[in-house]
Amino acid sequence: MRRYPAHLYTLLVGALVVALAAAVSLTVSTQQAQAATVTVQAESYAAQSGVGLEATADSGGGENAAFLADGDWMRFDNVDLGAAGRLTVSARIASAVGSGTIELRTAGATGPLLAVIQVAPTGGWQNWVTRTTDVTTYPTGAQTVFAVLRSTTPGDFVNINWFSFVGGGDGQAAGWVPVDQAKWNAQVAQFRAMTPAPVPADVVRVPEFNATCDYSHSKPDDPIVLPGLAGASHMHSFFGNKSTDAFSTTQSLLNNKATTCAPAEDLSAYWIPTLYEGNRAVEPENMIVYYGSRLPDPSATLPFPEGFRMIAGDARAQTSTPAGSPGQYWCAGTGGEIGRSADGNWPVCAPTAHLTHQLVFPDCWDGKNLDSPDHKSHVAYTYDGKCSGAYPVAIPNLSFVVSYPTNGSTAGFRLASGMASSIHGDFFNAWDNAAQGHRVKDCITQKAKCNSAGTF
């Protein structure tokens, strides 16, 4: 048990009165004009039962709600859950023992269930991790939210630093990021004015160029899905721009010239969930980012607009991937695949081969938005060999080819996001416009294979 001795509760009364007077502390961020983020500090409850406060050894400091056990609860008033659409809920937690859940409910402690945050030991009462879940159906606007603690563990099982709600809380079309039409028109005009380079007779006639990017760093950040929330994501492996973190914006990427990619003119950020073999992170040797076209006539392809971003794959997909499954991991190199993991979800590669994955992104754009609430609705995959309807603009067909320095074993692997089926990738465009434009003009629209330097 980690309860306060009885005599200390008297000392807490003053602190609780202050907390009640302060009510809910809300920090709203519209980072990159995406969905609003509401952060609720756990200690700013309007009412509680069984909750103590203590100093927080986490980024930002302050206090956390502590000594939480089964049946304890906190009430937070006027939490803006935004408009209808997607809502992501996170909790920053620490636990030394036991397990359980944090039930987030609206209206009352036994009211409608909003979300359930899973709790497992994190290695200590001040070893903080962020747990995140998606909500598909929920009341909108300002709500009273209750956090109710549930556990079969005797005594205290969790401390809570903060909750965050990422959704449509800004009164606008949440998550849609309109392209600056004047800026885009100028980029297109520059592109159309470019004179294509002559194509040598011996060039392979495939519409393609690439950026070859070494592994850069890992962080539990996601500047597209959870902008401004450091540590709120599962672990990601980043490639390209070395500055990428939760606070990255188009301008910050363009301002930071250090990149692991060739060519150096590509300052874009690319990331995928980190792969683990047991508890050991296996970072890729590199990532080759291919820019191509699946159109029979690729001459209509336009470059990505500055600041464009999108996601391929689904971090929530948790299904088996037996041999032959679409989009699965595979073995590149001599000998190829020689077996499967015990659960059948991962290949085992020959000693002369290595684990590989290719992730393919949508290649048609609505021409209006740099991003969308789910980071997918502004783009679509080519249908019947063309881009049309709501997605009339052909953009380069982006794909990540990731190579890992491992052969695997019957023990298999896991991703930071879960099973092999949860593989996903993020692209945040920060190319130099002229450098990207010349490559699209020379290599894609002329249907000619180019290298990382953009030459034949």
Side-chain angles (χ1 to χ4, degrees):
M1 292 286 290
R2 297 172 62 248
R3 295 289 179 190
Y4 282 120
H7 70 279
L8 290 182
Y9 276 98
T10 302
L11 300 177
L12 284 174
V13 171
L16 294 178
V17 170
V18 172
L20 289 169
V24 181
S25 172
L26 302 180
T27 302
V28 180
S29 168
T30 52
Q31 180 82 1
Q32 302 169 4
Q34 299 191 49
T37 298
V38 176
T39 300
V40 179
Q41 299 297 329
E43 71 272 19
S44 64
Y45 46 73
Q48 58 82 29
S49 175
V51 181
L53 301 177
E54 67 179 6
T56 306
D58 193 16
S59 57
E63 293 182 307
N64 60 262
F67 316 106
L68 303 174
D70 180 58
D72 292 346
W73 57 265
M74 293 174 282
R75 191 189 87 212
F76 304 93
D77 295 339
N78 299 314
V79 179
D80 189 355
L81 300 184
R86 180 179 178 182
L87 177 68
T88 299
V89 179
S90 300
R92 187 74 169 165
I93 64 171
S95 175
V97 297
S99 60
T101 60
I102 306 166
E103 297 178 353
L104 295 178
R105 296 180 177 272
T106 55
T110 59
L113 185 65
L114 177 67
V116 176
I117 303 291
Q118 298 294 326
V119 175
T122 65
W125 295 113
Q126 290 295 318
N127 289 352
W128 296 93
V129 299
T130 303
R131 302 289 187 227
T132 301
T133 188
D134 285 335
V135 180
T136 55
T137 303
Y138 59 94
T140 59
Q143 298 291 328
T144 298
V145 175
F146 281 74
V148 182
L149 287 302
R150 299 295 185 196
S151 178
T152 58
T153 300
D156 308 325
F157 75 101
V158 69
N159 293 343
I160 305 174
N161 191 357
W162 48 252
F163 298 101
S164 74
F165 303 84
V166 181
D170 57 5
Q172 301 176 354
W176 293 98
V177 182
V179 68
D180 183 324
Q181 285 295 336
K183 198 171 186 178
W184 170 236
N185 290 341
Q187 184 181 344
V188 172
Q190 178 193 40
F191 170 73
R192 297 199 187 284
M194 293 175 177
T195 301
V199 180
D202 60 346
V203 165
V204 176
R205 302 311 295 238
V206 174
E208 177 189 291
F209 66 92
N210 70 73
T212 302
C213 307
D214 292 336
Y215 165 75
S216 174
H217 60 281
S218 295
K219 280 180 176 289
D221 289 2
D222 193 322
I224 291 179
V225 177
L226 295 168
L229 289 178
S233 176
H234 51 250
M235 190 66 71
H236 283 112
S237 299
F238 290 89
F239 303 78
N241 200 300
K242 293 183 178 181
S243 71
T244 312
D245 61 17
F247 303 97
S248 293
T249 64
T250 303
Q251 199 56 53
S252 75
L253 294 175
L254 292 172
N255 289 344
N256 288 278
K257 305 299 184 183
T259 178
T260 67
C261 290
E265 295 93 340
D266 181 13
L267 300 176
S268 303
Y270 309 96
W271 61 98
I272 55 175
T274 300
L275 180 78
Y276 291 88
E277 194 163 8
N279 291 321
R280 180 179 68 89
V282 181
E283 301 298 357
E285 296 166 333
N286 58 43
M287 173 190 286
I288 301 178
V289 183
Y290 289 99
Y291 290 74
S293 175
R294 298 186 299 163
L295 301 175
D297 179 8
S299 63
T301 307
L302 293 177
F304 288 108
E306 187 176 281
F308 180 90
R309 46 249 194 208
M310 64 177 169
I311 293 176
D314 187 354
R316 295 169 296 179
Q318 305 291 333
T319 59
S320 297
T321 51
S325 300
Q328 67 176 217
Y329 285 77
W330 49 287
C331 298
T334 304
E337 181 178 319
I338 59 173
R340 302 291 292 182
S341 59
D343 61 12
N345 294 324
W346 302 88
V348 177
C349 303
T352 50
H354 52 267
L355 189 70
T356 304
H357 192 273
Q358 181 171 12
L359 188 65
V360 180
F361 286 73
D363 49 357
C364 298
W365 176 45
D366 67 5
K368 301 175 182 178
N369 297 285
L370 298 175
D371 200 2
S372 53
D374 61 357
H375 319 292
K376 296 179 179 180
S377 293
H378 60 309
V379 289
Y381 289 94
T382 302
Y383 178 73
D384 198 22
K386 59 184 177 181
C387 294
S388 59
Y391 306 95
V393 181
I395 50 178
N397 181 212
L398 193 72
S399 66
F400 293 174
V401 177
V402 189
S403 174
Y404 296 90
T406 183
N407 309 112
S409 68
T410 55
F413 302 90
R414 65 179 175 87
L415 292 169
S417 52
M419 298 175 70
S421 56
S422 71
I423 181 63
H424 56 285
D426 299 58
F427 167 56
F428 198 141
N429 176 46
W431 271 90
D432 173 83
N433 284 338
Q436 185 201 176
H438 279 295
R439 285 166 171 78
V440 174
K441 177 75 73 169
D442 294 346
C443 314
I444 294 181
T445 67
Q446 294 194 107
K447 207 170 185 178
K449 185 178 179 67
C450 294
N451 54 29
S452 296
T455 56
F456 306 113

